[in-house]
Each structure stands twice: as structure tokens, then as C-alpha cells.
Amino acid sequence: MQKEYKTITEISGPLVFAEVDEPIGYDEMVEIRTPNGETRRGQVLESTSKFVAIQVFEGTSGIDRQSSVRFIGETLQMPLTEELLGRVLSGSGEPIDGGPEIEPDEERPIVGAAINPTAREYPQEFIQTGVSAIDGMNTLIRGQKLPIFSGSGLPHNDLALQIARQASVPEEDDESEEGSEFAVIFGAMGITQEEANEFMDDFERTGALERSVVFMNLADDPAVERTVTPRLALTTAEYLAFEKDYHVLVILTDMTNYCEALREIGAAREEVPGRRGYPGYMYTDLATLYERAGRIEGRDGSVTQIPILTMPGDDDTHPIPDLTGYITEGQIYIDRDLNSQGIEPPVNVLPSLSRLMDDGIGEGFTRKDHGDTANQLYAAYAEGEDLRDLVNIVGREALSERDNKYLDFADAFEEEYIQQGFETNRGLEETLDLGWELLSRLPKEELNRVDEEFIEEYYVEDESEELAQTAD
Amino acid sequence: MSQATATETTDEGVIESVSGPVVTATDLAARMNDVVYVGNEGLMGEVIEIEGDITTIQVYEETSDVAPGEPVENTGEPLSVDLGPGMLDSIYDGVQRPLDVLEEKMGAFLDRGVDAPGIDLERTWEFNPEIEVGDEVAPGDVVGIVPETESIDHKVLVPPGYEGGEAVAVEDGAFAVDETVVELDTGEEIAMRQEWPVREPRPTVEKETPTTPLISGQRILDGLFPIAKGGTAAIPGPFGSGKTVTQHQLAKWADADIVVYVGCGERGNEMTEVIEDFPELEDPKTGKPLMSRTCLIANTSNMPVAARESCVYTGITIAEYYRDMGYDVALMADSTSRWAEAMREISSRLEEMPGEEGYPAYLAARLSEFYERAGKFQNLNGSEGSISAIGAVSPPGGDFSEPVTQNTLRIVKCFWALDADLAERRHFPSINWNESYSLYTDQLDPWWRENVVEEYPEVRQWAVDVLDEESELQEIVQLVGKDALPDDQQLTLEVARYIREGWLQQNAFHDVDTYCEPEKTYQMLTAIQHFNDETAEALEAGVPVEEIVDIEAASKLNRMNTQEAYEQYIDDLKSEITEQLQELY
Ligand SMILES: Nc1ncnc2c1ncn2[C@@H]1O[C@H](COP(=O)(O)OP(=O)(O)OP(=O)(O)O)[C@@H](O)[C@H]1O
Ligand SMILES: [Mg+2]
């Protein structure tokens, strides 16, 4: 049995320092027992021949210098088995659903090794979410990491749930049941009980819980625990995807709380802070989470990530969204103005992006006009948006006929294309056709992003005339 | 990496502390930048600080579980790369470990403590001597040629550190890279493999002024902001604005002989994309698979941060080696900001005095040392070679006033400023034409006049003037609306719109549009100029501006980009414009 130390010299925020007289491995797990018999778990942040710095997951309150410290001799592991599906665990991986203990088939360190880029397979399979703003304009691909950039009080959770409910891969529907199964891993970090209920109720209502693993760290749970929650979730996801062939969708919320926890630990260690007090290594740290999405050659499963973050002050230059955007493969913006207009889901497509879209759509994947249509919708909506500013100054009358068409287009785009409600599941064809219906309200000559062949095929001839007539 | 081939160690010490990628050791006799093996697993590291008995090491692999008391062994050699045939068509991590070999050894996930030489020591190559017994050779001289890939002849050089002398034995035939192929009377033996410390530039005779453009097939770059072969460029921009796509486009289409692509702290999938795409794409110049002229270095964001710091050095050293053979090499580094952050992370673990925004005080020096290794050179062997260096910069919050962008701009001569606003409206490449610049334009103009068309510089100037005028007019439009402008200015706006939408925009994902040869770049612009001139005349003749801009042919100006047989299309278009306008008066 490992030696017990009663050598704590300092307790500071989430950190405990203790003297040691044997070599302790970096990152190794630690158990601290308080005088009243409670156990806290932690991890070695720095190890020297004389002392170690320990980060305590469950908080340091109640720990004193008389507490004993025991080193486990290995790094933090996640117990893994397919039986995890349907279970609800705490943010540090303990069952909290009253169910049986977990009997693992194997255990793996939660700090996952990086996927060798030569072993990756480039993600190209379209996931239909049934949400036009995503399917049509910012297509989600299996193995992608596509975060939702939101703000406090906005309905990002509704969108995440809608995606989790509706996500499907078209060809699989009609082919066979043999295809890999779908699983959802939900990693909650510092969310409120109310939000947690919202998720759990939806999971239960739709029966999704059966194919889900839930990790819950709530707002009143220890902050430092949040640094392990996503790692437990992702280790589970990798196991299910790459050992058990599941297509895993990982929803992590709220990454902002995760980053706050990082900042707290950094401050306790008296590190030189980076921008706005967040650690200088936050980019690298976030990358070790987000990069755990993808596909691997020769394996059937996949890990797709939808991290959710609330941008402090709705500011996307804040380090949390900024560093996230630099790592993920695009982002979906939830917009406050659209939300107050009652648009559901209130997705602002202009700053939104799916970087894997280009290779996963078009002929043989979705529909041949998909890319061009999306580009044209973007360009037209951007133009309409610009004109809105101008209208406020000079009024509609001062604008040309062309400009007025763009203004109408922008309104219609929001009210008919983006607006669909959180319960509606739109097919891809429907989304693409809807796009054409809107584009057809602009003169053909304006559609310079679209191949002429597609205009020929999909342009709805009478739309623009009809509109011209009603305008008269 | 070459340390994998050396087995001897010079000294052994003991780990004192471990904190992330930084380990300290005691009792280790070492020099700065020596490569060491850390811990029981022999993780590779480099000495970065020596203070009394304490040696500080940055470790190129994960340090979980490494404990004080474990041994540290010194190789006594600086971090070096293996140079020789077999580097093209390869993919390495930041310390030149071949990733495909690592995959064979340890599977899909990168484990640690596994080492492999940068070039295959077993494989044999056909060595064709270029010298005979009795010939005198000096450092840098070509002693033989090895067909390395379909498109590249690898020249075997007398290593720069050699004394040189008379050849006393010269082989001919198939050899492994470590076998001696030429022996000199000095006793020096030359093999196909040599080593070079990455942090030290390989010697040349002198740097020359570059006068040939690196043609990228991207209209806005070739046409407005060209980079020279041997030039330097920075692409700063916020996330999602198009840095990587631009770098990929350059790696695909630039008319360099060799491409070294360094993925520094970026996404795994982006490297996979290159690995999957390049073997299938053709070099527009040679018709050979693109991969056969490409060397990839991938140290993705989740790979160890110390190896990210070294990956740009590994890349530029490989580039220099091919330059020494007389090749034009293009090196892309995506992203130099991640490299700078790796420096910052290591520096802060060393508790060095931070400079601006926590970056170490030596940030500017490191950046300029790196870009200084680019250029057009006269090599030791008399040949000319070049390295063009193009670095992406990822400024926090997209704010160009931050230290990495600012320090880079002080050094590089092309500034390709990406603009989130353009990206949002899907204007790609979203390079802002008002902010960007190239300081090579004047020295490259003679090339355009001679090789494309005498008038090119004038046509370009015309386009620049129209765009300038547009941005001034736009300010007025924002206040009063377009219709309040005089007719001729409304026309200018229309012409500028075609320059932007028809010429500057270029879709990297369109089969035809992805690459645009200089001749087409020029022709397209003349069509828009033709429209400008003819519409001005029509206006003069009293035709109302609404009718002029409404002619059917006009919208075709936005379709020239996707035409393969563009000459015919553009000729026809010009006559159509003239005809349709003349019908109006
Ligand atoms: N020339 C282009 N043609 C078409 N699409 C483009 C072009 N350039 C960029 N894009 C689009 O913009 C997206 C983002 O580009 P890219 O990945 O190069 O951004 P980035 O600046 O490298 O971002 P990051 O800093 O996050 O890596 C691409 O996925 C693509 O959809
Ligand atoms: Mg990029």
C-alpha cells in the first residue's frame, strides 16, 4: 500500500502543497483524507524531489495541515464499458443515478493521447440536423467539432437538444440497421440545476437517455472538478467510438465555466496570466479537448463535438470564444437580436461557419447545388443586412429597386428560412428548395455565385414577378 | 530526427522536478540546446537553461507520470534533422519523427518514448555520380544525383562543414543513405544522409535581390500583391478568415520546385486533408502528383508544445537543404502565432521576465531570425536557390496591434490582411485590398512586362485606382444612398463591383477557378476595363445610367473566373458589351 503523508505545508485556493520523500509522478492521482474522514481527490500539478503541488478537484474546504495525503501511483483513469450508456455520473465520474457500481471492461487515462494525423480520416459525412441554418448554410459533418457561441439567457440549450434529437445520417435511414449506432455524451460543467433539468427532462421524454452517458457538474459543485469532467466525457466518447463503433455526439456545456476553472487554478499557482487573466496555455489546453473529435481510418465510429459557450458580454473577441474559434472547425452564433424578434433558432448565419462543409456537400453527398446556393444566400443576406443600416438614414424610397429587393430578401430569409421552431425537423431537400424559393425573389442576374446550370434547374421563374406585382 | 540514429550518450543526470513540458535535472553535464533523453521512458528533450547545477529541459513529449529521481541522459548534440533522399512525400512531427512510421509502431494514437529516424536508413537509392575520381570538390558541391520522386532530383552535396578535396573513390548504384558514396583524399566520407542543427542557418555565399514572382495562381496575390521567389509574406487574420485555405492554395499551386508545409499548432484534420488531397492533385507545372514535391511537418495543437516550438526550425532547415541544391522552395508556416505562444508557454514556466502580453523579450529576435533564413541566395556551389516564407498569424480577437502581428510586419515584405467582414459575406479570398500591400511590386514589374504582357502594370494601376475611388464613394453612399451620386460615379461603383466580384473573388473549391494563370488574371481585368471604357462612352452619348448597367452581358463579367476556355469567352464578352451598348444609342 502507498505511503501516507501528513506533510501538508500550504493550502491555497484549489491547491495543496505537501512535502514528500519519494519520487511522485507528474499528473499522478492523489487522495486527501480530512480529519473528519472525508476523501478528496486531486492531481499532481508539479512534482519535485522535495514537495508536490496538488490540484484538488472537490475543493479544499475542510482540508487542514493534519489531513493525510496518499499518492495512487497512476494518473486519473476513466472506467469504461458499454454499460455506461443510460447512466448519469457526477462531474468526476461517480454514479449519481442510484444505479449499480460501474464494472469496467477497461480503464483509460483521461488525458487522451493525440490522434496521429496520418491515422485520421478526413470527415466527409453529412449529418442532417433538421435545422436549416445548419444543414443548408453551416453543414455539420461526422467527426467535426462545431461549437455554439451564445450569450447568457439565450436558447443555446434548445438548439443543442434539437440537434441531439434530430441528428441523422440520411443514407443510413434507408440502407440497413447494420450501420453504427448513435450515442450522445453530455458533459455539463457548472450549469444550473434548472438547466440540468431541462436536459434530463428532454432526454427522458424522448428516450434518448438510453443511448446517452451524462456527466453532471453543477453550478454549486466544485469548480476544479470541471477541469476533469470534459476529459472523462471525451475518454468515454473515444472508447465508444473507436472501440465500440458508435457515432458519438458530445455536447459540452458550458465551456465558459471550464475556462473560469482554469483561470482559478492559474491564479492560485501565481502564474503569469495571459489575456484577461486567463492562463497563457489556455489555447493548448482547449486544443487537448477539442482535438479529441474526428474519425480514424479503419474504425467505424466517430466523435462529433458540439461544445457550447456563453460569450461574456456577447463579445466574441473574449479569449474563451476567440481561442475556441481558432481550434474548432467553425462555429454557430446564437444572436440576441434575432432572439428578441422571436426567431427560433436565433442563429446568425453571417459570422457562423462550418469549415468541413465544402468537402461534405454537393454531388454525391447532398445535392449538387448545395454549395452555390449557400454561398448565394450568404452574399444576398449580407447585402440586405448592409442596406438595413442605410435605410435607417435615407429611408426606403431613396433606395433603388434592386436594393429594396435585397431588403425584402433579408427579412424573408430570417422569417422563413432561419425561423422554424425548435420542434420542426426539416429535410435537406426542403431546406434547399426553401433557399431557392427565397433566391428566386431576386433577379436571375444577381445570382452570380450560382452556376448557370443550377439557375436553369432550380430558379422559380414567377417568384420575382409575383413580388414585383404585389409591390406595384 | 537524427538523434534516433545516435546511441551514445555523454553524461547522465537525475530529474529534480517536473511541471508540464518543463523538467529540471541535477548533475548533468550539458551545453545549451543539447538533446537529452528524459526519464525511464527516454522522452526526447532539449536543454534550454543552465543555472549552477540545475539544467532546465523542454520535453518534446507528454510528461505524465514522469517522476523526480528518474535519469536524464545527454546525447551531447544539438537538435538536428536528418537530410537526405526520402524527405519529400513524407510527414513529420515537430522534431522530424516520421508520423507514418510512428503509426506503424504505436497505432492511431501518439504514444511516447518511441523514436524513429527522419529518413529511412534501410531503403536504398540509386546514386548517379556527377564527379569522377580525381575531381576536386568543395563544401556544397554536387557529387551525385538521386531520383528522389517523380518530379525531383535529389542532389547529394558535400556537407557544408567539410574541408573538401580530391575524390579518391566514387560509387555508382544503389546504396543505403548511410553508406559512403564518395571518399575524399582528406579522409572525409560523403554519404547521402547528412545532419544539420536546426537552429543554425545553413551557409550560403550571399543573399540576392529577388526579381521573379512566386506565381500562386491566386488573382489577388499575383495581380495586386505579388510575392517574389525568395520573398517573405504574412497572412494575419481572425479565426475563420481564410489563412489556412490561402496557405493550402499556395502549397498546391505556387510555382515553386519544393514545398515545405509546416502545420504548427493547428488542426489535425487540416493536415489529414493535405495528406489525402495532395497525392491526387497535379502540379500545374510538371503534371506530377503534388505530393512528390512536398514535405509536411505536422505538430498539431494537441501535440506537445515544445515540439511545436521546434517545428518551424525543422521546416526551414529542410527548406534550406533543398535550396542548396538550387531549388526554389516555398515554406508555409500555419500558424506562427502558435509558435510564438509555445515560446511564451515555455518562457513562463522558466519564470523569465515577460515582455509585451507575456511573450518573452526575445520574441521579435526569433521572428526576424526565422524570416531572415528566407531569401534568394547564391549557394556555396554557385547555384541559385530561394526560400519564400509565408507565415500565417492568428492575432487574439483579430486585433492586428498585438505583438506577434506587429513584430512580423516589421520584417516581412508582403502583408496579406484577412478581413472578417469579407469572410462573413463569403467574399473569398477575404484579403482586404485596401490594407494589404507588397513591397515587391516594383522589382517584379519587369517580369510581368516581359513574360505576360507589356501593359500589365498599367492595367493593375487602373484597377487599384478604381478600388480606391470606390472606397471613397462608399463613404458618401453610406450617408446619402447610391442614387444621389452623379451618373459617372455610379458607373465607377459598378465597375468596382465587377473588379471585386468578378476578379478579386476566387473560389478555392471550384475546379477551374481554384487556379488562375497570370495570362488569365490579366485578360479578365482587361474585360472589366473594356466595360468601363465602353460604358463611359455610352454615358457621354446620353444613355441613362440605369440602362447602361442593365445590359445583359455585364453579369457575365462575374463568370469569367469559371471558364476554362477563357480567351474565347472574354473575346466574345467584349464584343457583346460593345454591341449591346451601341444598341442603346
Ligand atoms: N479562397 C477561398 N475560397 C472559398 N472558400 C474559402 C476561401 N478561403 C476561405 N474559405 C472559407 O473560409 C473557411 C475558413 O478558412 P480557413 O480555415 O482558412 O480560416 P483560418 O483563417 O485558417 O482560420 P483559423 O485561424 O481558425 O485556422 C474555409 O473553411 C472556407 O469555407
Ligand atoms: Mg487555419
Side-chain angles (χ1 to χ4, degrees), chain A residues 50-262:
Chain A
K50 293 180 195 66
F51 76 93
V52 293
I54 301 159
Q55 158 188 339
V56 184
F57 300 137
E58 285 112 345
T60 46
S61 71
I63 299 181
D64 61 8
R65 294 190 51 194
Q66 269 57 58
S67 302
S68 66
V69 176
R70 201 165 62 89
F71 297 93
I72 308 297
E74 60 176 17
T75 55
L76 184 54
Q77 312 272 320
M78 173 72 202
L80 296 166
T81 155
E82 231 172 319
E83 304 299 314
L84 281 167
L85 288 167
R87 301 299 304 269
V88 182
L89 312 174
S90 74
S92 52
E94 309 289 341
I96 50 170
D97 54 2
E101 278 297 300
I102 287 154
E103 285 174 31
D105 290 339
E106 60 177 292
E107 298 208 328
R108 287 195 189 172
I110 64 160
V111 183
I115 303 177
N116 186 331
T118 60
R120 280 183 186 268
E121 187 174 312
Y122 193 70
Q124 283 188 314
E125 261 174 349
F126 161 69
I127 300 181
Q128 181 171 312
T129 65
V131 179
S132 296
I134 297 178
D135 293 350
M137 312 281 286
N138 295 288
T139 316
L140 178 65
I141 304 289
R142 252 183 196 164
Q144 183 170 18
K145 38 192 180 292
L146 188 64
I148 298 177
F149 283 14
S150 187
S152 46
L154 294 177
H156 40 264
N157 293 342
D158 298 302
L159 179 60
L161 281 168
Q162 186 176 18
I163 296 171
R165 262 194 324 267
Q166 301 181 354
S168 68
V169 175
E171 98 251 54
E172 235 160 52
D173 295 343
D174 40 63
E175 265 179 29
S176 62
E177 295 294 280
E178 279 169 50
S180 305
E181 276 183 79
F182 191 66
V184 176
I185 308 257
F186 181 67
M189 293 157 282
I191 64 171
T192 59
Q193 185 65 54
E194 212 173 313
E195 281 176 288
N197 291 346
E198 198 185 324
F199 277 101
M200 294 311 297
D201 289 349
D202 197 88
F203 282 171
E204 276 159 28
R205 176 172 67 89
T206 58
L209 190 58
E210 262 170 64
R211 48 184 179 99
S212 308
V213 189
V214 176
F215 294 85
M216 280 283 178
N217 167 288
L218 296 181
D220 53 359
D221 287 335
V224 180
E225 188 182 88
R226 282 162 211 165
T227 61
V228 295
T229 309
R231 294 189 163 80
L232 295 168
L234 289 164
T235 307
T236 311
E238 281 172 349
Y239 171 80
L240 291 175
F242 303 130
E243 301 302 325
K244 302 290 171 193
D245 295 342
Y246 283 86
H247 288 299
V248 185
L249 179 68
V250 184
I251 298 174
L252 299 172
T253 183
D254 176 335
M255 290 307 294
T256 303
N257 297 332
Y258 171 84
C259 293
E260 299 299 345
L262 280 189

Side-chain angles (χ1 to χ4, degrees), chain A residues 354-388:
Chain A
S354 161
R355 292 161 198 252
L356 299 185
M357 176 170 178
D358 298 299
D359 293 301
I361 60 167
E363 192 134 38
F365 296 98
T366 54
R367 204 170 81 181
K368 59 185 184 220
D369 62 312
H370 192 161
D372 283 7
T373 316
N375 270 336
Q376 190 70 60
L377 287 169
Y378 267 114
Y381 181 52
E383 177 122 25
E385 264 275 298
D386 278 354
L387 288 165
R388 283 178 176 165

Side-chain angles (χ1 to χ4, degrees), chain B residues 43-179:
Chain B
L43 310 180
M44 188 177 157
E46 183 183 356
V47 174
I48 51 171
E49 192 178 84
I50 299 170
E51 221 184 297
D53 188 35
I54 303 275
T55 306
T56 306
I57 297 154
Q58 62 176 1
V59 183
Y60 294 125
E61 300 179 71
E62 283 302 329
T63 51
S64 282
D65 254 353
V66 174
E70 292 183 22
V72 177
E73 291 175 20
N74 188 6
T75 64
E77 290 192 38
L79 183 65
S80 303
V81 285
D82 282 331
L83 300 167
M87 294 193 292
L88 298 178
D89 203 2
S90 287
I91 172 161
Y92 295 120
D93 77 351
V95 287
Q96 212 205 3
R97 295 185 304 171
L99 287 171
D100 49 347
V101 177
L102 296 193
E103 189 189 348
E104 273 165 38
K105 287 193 178 180
M106 53 193 178
F109 291 87
L110 286 167
D111 211 340
R112 53 185 200 184
V114 181
D115 213 342
I119 53 182
D120 190 339
L121 302 179
E122 318 274 284
R123 173 165 178 188
T124 60
W125 296 88
E126 204 54 41
F127 176 78
N128 305 304
E130 287 282 291
I131 57 161
E132 290 170 6
V133 171
D135 287 353
E136 284 284 333
V137 292
D141 282 354
V142 178
V143 297
I145 288 184
V146 178
E148 181 175 358
T149 62
E150 276 178 76
S151 41
I152 295 298
D153 275 341
H154 190 105
K155 296 172 186 163
V156 180
L157 310 172
V158 179
Y162 274 30
E163 201 179 315
E166 193 187 308
V168 293
V170 178
E171 305 287 349
D172 185 348
F175 294 91
V177 290
D178 271 340
E179 290 177 277

Side-chain angles (χ1 to χ4, degrees), chain B residues 74-316:
Chain B
N74 188 6
T75 64
E77 290 192 38
L79 183 65
S80 303
V81 285
D82 282 331
L83 300 167
M87 294 193 292
L88 298 178
D89 203 2
S90 287
I91 172 161
Y92 295 120
D93 77 351
V95 287
Q96 212 205 3
R97 295 185 304 171
L99 287 171
D100 49 347
V101 177
L102 296 193
E103 189 189 348
E104 273 165 38
K105 287 193 178 180
M106 53 193 178
F109 291 87
L110 286 167
D111 211 340
R112 53 185 200 184
V114 181
D115 213 342
I119 53 182
D120 190 339
L121 302 179
E122 318 274 284
R123 173 165 178 188
T124 60
W125 296 88
E126 204 54 41
F127 176 78
N128 305 304
E130 287 282 291
I131 57 161
E132 290 170 6
V133 171
D135 287 353
E136 284 284 333
V137 292
D141 282 354
V142 178
V143 297
I145 288 184
V146 178
E148 181 175 358
T149 62
E150 276 178 76
S151 41
I152 295 298
D153 275 341
H154 190 105
K155 296 172 186 163
V156 180
L157 310 172
V158 179
Y162 274 30
E163 201 179 315
E166 193 187 308
V168 293
V170 178
E171 305 287 349
D172 185 348
F175 294 91
V177 290
D178 271 340
E179 290 177 277
T180 303
V181 286
V182 172
E183 222 178 298
L184 304 183
D185 60 354
T186 52
E188 288 169 316
E189 293 177 345
I190 300 165
M192 285 182 268
R193 182 179 77 89
Q194 48 180 283
E195 291 175 17
W196 193 263
V198 296
R199 297 188 197 275
E200 197 179 309
R202 284 173 65 88
T204 56
V205 176
E206 60 172 354
K207 215 172 197 174
E208 298 172 345
T209 307
T211 51
T212 317
L214 180 75
I215 296 296
S216 62
Q218 310 303 302
R219 286 187 290 277
I220 187 164
L221 303 186
D222 295 343
L224 291 185
F225 312 113
I227 177 174
K229 286 201 173 93
T232 49
I235 318 178
F239 61 80
S241 56
K243 297 179 291 294
T244 305
V245 174
T246 308
Q247 297 267 39
H248 280 190
Q249 287 298 90
L250 284 160
K252 284 176 188 167
W253 309 124
D255 66 341
D257 301 310
I258 304 281
V259 169
V260 178
Y261 192 97
V262 186
C264 175
E266 293 286 314
R267 303 174 183 83
N269 277 334
E270 288 172 351
M271 297 313 295
T272 311
E273 188 183 4
V274 176
I275 303 167
E276 287 184 13
D277 279 2
F278 275 37
E280 270 151 44
L281 293 170
E282 270 178 21
D283 180 345
K285 210 170 65 171
T286 61
K288 304 280 166 55
L290 271 182
M291 204 55 207
S292 63
R293 66 164 197 186
T294 310
C295 174
L296 298 175
I297 295 160
N299 215 89
T300 57
S301 53
N302 54 340
M303 282 157 76
V305 71
R308 190 194 302 167
E309 192 273 333
S310 65
C311 69
V312 292
Y313 294 103
T314 299
I316 196 117

